[in-house]
Amino acid sequence: MAGAARKKAMETLGKSMTEEVQRWGCMKQNGVSLRYMMEFGSKPSLRNLLISAQFLHKELPIRIARRVMDLETLPYGLSHKPAVLKVRDWYLDSFRDLRLFPEIKDPNDETEFTQMIKAIKVRHNNVVPMMALGVQQLKKGLDPNVDYEALDEIHEFLDRFYMSRIGIRMLIGQHVELQNPNPPPHCVGCIHTKMSPLEVARDASEDARSVCFREYGSAPDIDIYGDPNFTFPYVPAHLHLMVFELVKNSLRAVQERYLDSDKVAPPVRIIVADGIEDVTIKVSDEGGGIRRSGLPKIFTYLYSTAKNPLDEHDDLGTADTATMAGYGYGIPISRLYARYFGGDLQIISMEGYGTDAYLHLSRLGDSQEPLP
């Protein structure tokens, strides 16, 4: 883009940034289904990459503008917490980058655009821990006698906010992956058309076990049951994240319960079932369960006692996002990942015995993205 044109655009955008965000935030979002992403990406011709870039050039500013508007109108003064202001600035910067990018007309524009949205994705890497830090900053200032059920509004905002973030990252990741000249077999962007849920569950369980080993010096066994030949189209990275969270929680519960016991810790069991509509993965443990009164709390963002990785890092850019579970967001965020492609996560507990988590994944792949 000619320097003069960009400079002029910068000036006009600076003046009317707030109006521009309002204008784009009121436009209609366009959802995409897993099946559509798969069919569209199965032949990543130059023409298709151009269409995809043009779609994102219009769609991403709408989604990002909505989040900026949300971030500026949060209750209890959450909008003014330093961590939340930082997140808002990231979103504003990304909105500005997208709006300043000229119309995408040819493969060169598309290549440049792809580099830019890649940078946007990196800019937003630490949004989840940074928002968690904002919530912590808010809680420090709140009356400890306040019933946090009253913070439903913040919980609903975070559900919307993180769901939207999953969508934005999926769309960017999918477009970027389609550029890969040598994709792995059966992969269309981030989607694996013949993903074995058993295999992904096994990998995720091993990762969770190594975390447990690192923390406790030992870990319960994990038994996995299911058809090793069964495959279906899904995003392996999403499934890995969800199973990792569930198994890690189960391992921790069992480990804590049997820490000072002479008995051998019972294994965590994973069962993969393939139905017509859903693929369901059940993670069962005998870790003592959760009180019925405590069950709703496991899906909120406001109760975690765990340490936020960003607290320990002065340089906010260096926090390792793999410690996601470290601040108690693993379960509610896993449920959002499941719901993103039309599935769900349910947790059923027997206090005094253990917990069963049911992860439902829609097998049909034709449900539209939820668009908060």
Side-chain angles (χ1 to χ4, degrees), residues 77-89 130 133-134 137-138 316:
L78 183 56
S79 290
H80 307 298
K81 296 296 170 210
V84 178
L85 288 169
K86 197 174 184 69
V87 172
R88 190 210 53 189
D89 289 347
M130 189 59 82
L133 191 59
Q137 289 168 346
L138 172 72
L316 293 169

Side-chain angles (χ1 to χ4, degrees), residues 25-40:
C26 295
M27 291 183 196
K28 184 179 173 294
Q29 305 177 88
N30 293 285
V32 185
S33 68
L34 181 70
R35 177 174 295 173
Y36 179 79
M37 286 188 214
M38 212 159 60
E39 285 168 1
F40 181 85

Side-chain angles (χ1 to χ4, degrees), residues 32-43 174 178 186-189 191-194 232-234 364-365:
V32 185
S33 68
L34 181 70
R35 177 174 295 173
Y36 179 79
M37 286 188 214
M38 212 159 60
E39 285 168 1
F40 181 85
S42 56
K43 300 180 186 65
Q174 189 63 6
L178 288 179
H186 310 300
C187 282
V188 176
I191 303 162
H192 194 305
T193 58
K194 289 189 159 57
F232 78 116
Y234 205 71
L364 308 173

